[in-house]
Amino acid sequence: MPEFALLSYIALMSITPGPNNLMLASSGVNFGFRRTVPHMLGISLGCALQVFIVGMLLAQMLGWLSSWRPPLAVAGCVYLLWLSWQIARAGRPEAREQARPLSFVGAALFQWLNPKAWVMVLNASILFMPAGGGPLVAALLLALAFAVVNLPCISVWAWGGEKLRRWLAAPRALLAYNLTMGALMAVTALWLLCDELLPVLAA
C-alpha cells in the first residue's frame, strides 16, 4: 500500500512539532485562527510547490540540492532564531500593536529555508514518486497529496493556539507563553543547525 504509506508519512511529518507548527500555534494565540489562515495556506501550497519542483527535477537536481542543503539550512536556522526573538517579544504590549501574522507569500517562501520541510520533501520525492505517468503527472500527484494532507494537520496547531487565547488573556500569561514558544523555536533552530552541520564538519 504505497499510497497509504505516503499519506501516513505526510501526515506524521506535518503534524509533529517543527518550525511551521510552533509559528502557527503562536500566531493562533496572538492573532486568532482566521488571521492565521494565509499563513497556513502559504505553508501548504508552498510545500506542495516545493515538492512538485523537487520531484520534477529530482534526477537532475539531486547532486546540486545536496551541496546546497548546508548553506540553506544555516540561512533557515538563522531566520528561525530571528523568528524566535519575534515570537518571544509578541506578548509585550508595545510589540503587539505593531505585530502582524506571517503572510501567505512569506510562509510559502519560508519552506525553502525550513530544514524540516527539506527533509520531508526530499524523502517523499525519493521514496514515493509514482513510477507511472511521466515525471510531470507523478510530481503533480505528489504535490496534490502534500497540499491535501498537510493543511488539516497544520491547522490543528493554529486552532489549538486560538483556543488558548482566553487562558492567556492576562498580559503576564501571554508573555510567559510567547517566551516559552520563542525558546522552543530557538532550541529547534539550534538542534536543526547542529544536525545539518555536524556531519559536514565530521567529514
Side-chain angles (χ1 to χ4, degrees):
M1 294 288 289
E3 294 85 1
F4 179 76
L6 169 63
L7 297 179
S8 299
Y9 173 79
I10 298 171
L12 182 64
M13 291 296 288
S14 297
I15 205 166
T16 50
N20 282 327
N21 289 333
L22 291 175
M23 287 191 290
L24 287 175
S26 293
S27 185
V29 166
N30 289 289
F31 307 112
F33 186 87
R34 186 178 61 82
R35 292 184 67 194
T36 305
V37 167
H39 187 165
M40 292 186 295
L41 291 174
I43 290 172
S44 288
L45 297 181
C47 192
L49 177 62
Q50 186 181 19
V51 77
F52 172 73
I53 291 172
V54 171
M56 270 287 293
L57 305 175
L58 184 61
Q60 294 85 358
M61 292 180 65
L62 196 55
W64 181 81
L65 288 174
S66 297
S67 64
W68 273 93
R69 237 181 97 172
L72 283 170
V74 171
C77 291
V78 169
Y79 182 59
L80 286 177
L81 288 171
W82 179 80
L83 283 174
S84 69
W85 172 247
Q86 297 299 110
I87 289 171
R89 293 180 66 248
R92 303 178 189 275
E94 66 277 11
R96 280 176 58 81
E97 293 177 4
Q98 301 173 359
R100 296 287 184 274
L102 194 62
S103 69
F104 171 85
V105 173
L109 291 176
F110 173 65
Q111 303 319 301
W112 294 90
L113 293 176
N114 182 356
K116 185 184 176 186
W118 273 107
V119 169
M120 180 168 67
V121 164
L122 284 171
N123 286 346
S125 298
I126 292 167
L127 297 174
F128 299 109
M129 270 287 284
L136 177 61
V137 174
L140 277 173
L141 289 173
L142 195 60
L144 180 62
F146 264 78
V148 169
V149 177
N150 177 263
L151 185 58
C153 291
I154 64 174
S155 297
V156 171
W157 286 81
W159 176 81
E162 184 182 55
K163 294 305 172 187
L164 287 173
R165 292 184 86 183
R166 60 178 176 175
W167 285 286
L168 298 173
R172 283 190 177 183
L174 183 59
L175 178 59
Y177 173 83
N178 285 327
L179 287 172
T180 301
M181 294 300 283
L184 287 173
M185 178 74 80
V187 168
T188 300
L190 293 172
W191 178 77
L192 289 169
L193 185 61
C194 290
D195 192 52
E196 287 289 337
L197 292 185
L198 284 179
V200 175
L201 295 174

